Amino acid sequence: MDKWKTIKERLRHLGGSVELLADGHKLQLVKAHNGKRIFVRVFVDGSIDFEWTKTEGGKPVHPEGRFWRPMKRAAYSKKHYAALKRGWGKKEADRMITPRVIAVVPDFGTEGATVAHLKKHFPDLEIKADEVAP
C-alpha cells in the first residue's frame, strides 16, 4: 500500500495517529476534536511551541513551522473593496484584499489536507519503522 494512503487510513477515525520521520524531525499526526470541529494536529519532535507560528515574507521563521498549515488572511474583506478603492486607489485596494500568509498553525481541517501538504513539501518522508504493520 502507498505510504500516503496508509497515513490517510490511520487518520480516518477520531483518535487515530501516525508517527513519521521527515528532514531529521519526528512528526506525530493525531486526529482530535475540540468539541466543535474535528482536525488533524501535527506535533514536531513531540511538542508544539507557538513560537513556531511566526512568519516573515510568507515563510516560517523556525524550521519546525514548515510542517504546519500556512494561514492566509487579507487585511480587509472584499465587502470593503469599494470604499478602499475610493480612498486608496485600485492598485492599493487590490493589494489590501489579497490574502497573504500571516502565520503557520499546527492544525489541518482534514487528513487529506495534511497529506497534500506533506506530499508537496516532504515527498521523501517515511512512516516510523515501529509504526509499520507486519
Side-chain angles (χ1 to χ4, degrees), residues 9-18 29-32 40:
E9 183 64 30
R10 293 210 187 154
L11 294 174
R12 194 172 64 172
H13 300 292
L14 190 62
S17 69
V18 63
L29 311 179
V30 178
K31 191 153 187 183
V40 177

Side-chain angles (χ1 to χ4, degrees), residues 14-106:
L14 190 62
S17 69
V18 63
E19 289 190 11
L20 309 169
L21 299 172
D23 283 357
H25 294 280
K26 185 179 85 169
L27 305 178
Q28 184 180 17
L29 311 179
V30 178
K31 191 153 187 183
H33 71 93
N34 65 359
K36 294 183 181 178
R37 64 184 198 95
I38 297 172
F39 52 88
V40 177
R41 180 156 284 166
V42 179
F43 293 89
V44 181
D45 296 326
S47 65
I48 292 177
D49 185 349
F50 286 97
E51 184 70 22
W52 300 340
T53 61
K54 295 180 182 176
T55 60
E56 283 183 10
K59 303 286 184 199
V61 173
H62 300 280
E64 291 85 354
R66 298 174 301 146
F67 302 105
W68 291 355
R69 176 179 63 89
M71 183 173 65
K72 295 182 179 181
R73 294 285 187 267
Y76 295 91
S77 68
K78 289 183 181 180
K79 74 178 186 178
H80 296 106
Y81 181 71
L84 291 169
K85 190 174 171 182
R86 279 193 305 276
W88 296 94
K90 182 182 182 331
K91 188 175 182 180
E92 188 64 19
D94 287 343
R95 191 188 64 74
M96 293 168 116
I97 66 162
T98 303
R100 289 186 294 264
V101 174
I102 59 169
V104 289
V105 293

Side-chain angles (χ1 to χ4, degrees), residues 1-12 17-23 27 29 40 42 66-67 108 110-128 132:
M1 185 183 262
D2 181 24
K3 67 181 171 183
W4 305 112
K5 287 181 183 177
T6 304
I7 294 169
K8 273 187 180 178
E9 183 64 30
R10 293 210 187 154
L11 294 174
R12 194 172 64 172
S17 69
V18 63
E19 289 190 11
L20 309 169
L21 299 172
D23 283 357
L27 305 178
L29 311 179
V40 177
V42 179
R66 298 174 301 146
F67 302 105
F108 288 86
T110 65
E111 57 274 4
T114 309
V115 167
H117 177 79
L118 294 174
K119 194 178 203 178
K120 179 179 177 183
H121 298 285
F122 307 99
D124 57 343
L125 69 77
E126 304 169 10
I127 297 176
K128 196 170 172 192
V132 177

